[in-house]
Amino acid sequence: MGMVLLTALGVGGATVIGAVLGVIFKKITHSFSDIVLSFAAGVMLAAAVLGLILPSLDYGGDFAIVTTVAGIFVGAFALNVIDKLVPHLHRMVGSDIEEHESNGKLSKVLLFVTAIAIHNLPEGIAAGVGFGSGNTAEALLIAGGIALQNIPEGMVIIGPMLASGVSLKRTFLIAAATGVIEIVGTLLGFFAVSISSAILPFALAFAGGTMLYVISDEMIPETHHGETPGVTYALLIGFCVMLISDVLLG
């Protein structure tokens, strides 16, 4: 349980770390940001497949393939519905916030918090569910992949919030609040599979589906704004780093 709690704190704190980096390195180039995010996408892709979807097949029994495929699609559909209700942060940056800096600042901040928190909850659940398989090394790899994704997200959100008039102190409090949601999600995922091992195969596939959706719908498109050298290779490197880590720690 101690390891799960520490992992939850690490995953949740990654957004704050990203926010700190965003303040320190205020002039991070778009190309560098794209490469970092693409690397994180590769890490998450490997984590979803190796740490969640394949274990779902292993624990699924006679109906493993049905359970796993159903879990993947239900997880992806759940995030798709969330996206319809609350657009994710990546789609908000550079649009409403920058176009209307002087109007409705508080409501924009609240929308920021809501959007990030809602999307962070499934990611936290994915990290917690990973511990349900009993393979701590794989669970840590999954959590590491999610944490890596949270760092560039924290870097991206800091600028628009400061530009819209939010104080530096309040910006960090907001980043911390979104991290707390991810901590809650991690613990929720862990306790859910701990209470009933019967739901483990579906829960693993569901978590894998949510991660695949985030990678395809948000992370990869976000890294392909133009002719950014190295973005595709960064994804491949991230994937292979996780693959090698899984083999060495497995």
Side-chain angles (χ1 to χ4, degrees):
M1 180 60 197
M3 180 64 73
V4 177
L5 185 57
L6 286 175
T7 301
L9 292 172
V11 170
T15 303
V16 180
I17 293 173
V20 172
L21 292 175
V23 171
I24 296 174
F25 303 102
K26 293 181 180 178
K27 296 185 178 180
I28 296 175
T29 64
H30 217 327
S31 296
F32 179 75
S33 176
D34 287 345
I35 288 173
V36 172
L37 189 60
S38 187
F39 176 84
V43 170
M44 283 186 68
L45 181 59
V49 175
L50 300 174
L52 295 169
I53 294 173
L54 292 183
S56 172
L57 289 171
D58 291 337
Y59 292 103
D62 294 336
F63 301 99
I65 189 65
V66 175
T67 301
T68 300
V69 171
I72 290 172
F73 275 94
V74 171
F77 181 73
L79 273 196
N80 185 223
V81 171
I82 289 173
D83 267 343
K84 299 293 184 185
L85 298 175
V86 184
H88 194 19
L89 175 66
H90 294 277
R91 293 174 185 154
M92 295 164 60
V93 173
S95 57
D96 291 342
I97 291 179
E98 293 179 355
E99 290 172 8
H100 307 288
E101 291 183 6
S102 61
N103 298 318
K105 292 179 181 178
L106 181 59
S107 63
K108 292 187 184 68
V109 170
L110 293 176
L111 183 58
F112 251 153
V113 176
T114 303
I116 300 168
I118 289 177
H119 284 78
N120 278 359
L121 186 62
E123 292 175 8
I125 291 174
V129 165
F131 283 95
S133 65
N135 190 327
T136 302
E138 270 190 357
L140 291 175
L141 286 175
I142 295 167
I146 295 170
L148 273 176
Q149 185 264 340
N150 286 341
I151 292 174
E153 182 169 88
M155 294 167 66
V156 167
I157 67 176
I158 195 82
M161 282 198 285
L162 292 175
S164 63
V166 182
S167 68
L168 183 61
K169 179 180 179 180
R170 194 174 184 188
T171 296
F172 280 116
L173 288 176
I174 291 170
T178 64
V180 169
I181 296 297
E182 202 139 16
I183 292 172
V184 171
T186 303
L187 297 177
L188 183 63
F190 172 72
F191 285 121
V193 295
S194 298
I195 292 171
S196 175
S197 59
I199 68 170
L200 178 60
F202 183 83
L204 287 168
F206 179 92
T210 62
M211 289 178 68
L212 291 178
Y213 181 90
V214 169
I215 294 163
S216 176
D217 187 67
E218 297 173 5
M219 297 181 72
I220 292 178
E222 183 68 19
T223 62
H224 288 269
H225 292 102
E227 297 296 326
T228 305
V231 164
T232 299
Y233 289 103
L235 185 146
L236 294 175
I237 291 170
F239 186 91
C240 290
V241 165
M242 286 295 286
L243 182 63
I244 293 168
S245 300
D246 185 69
V247 171
L248 292 178
L249 297 176

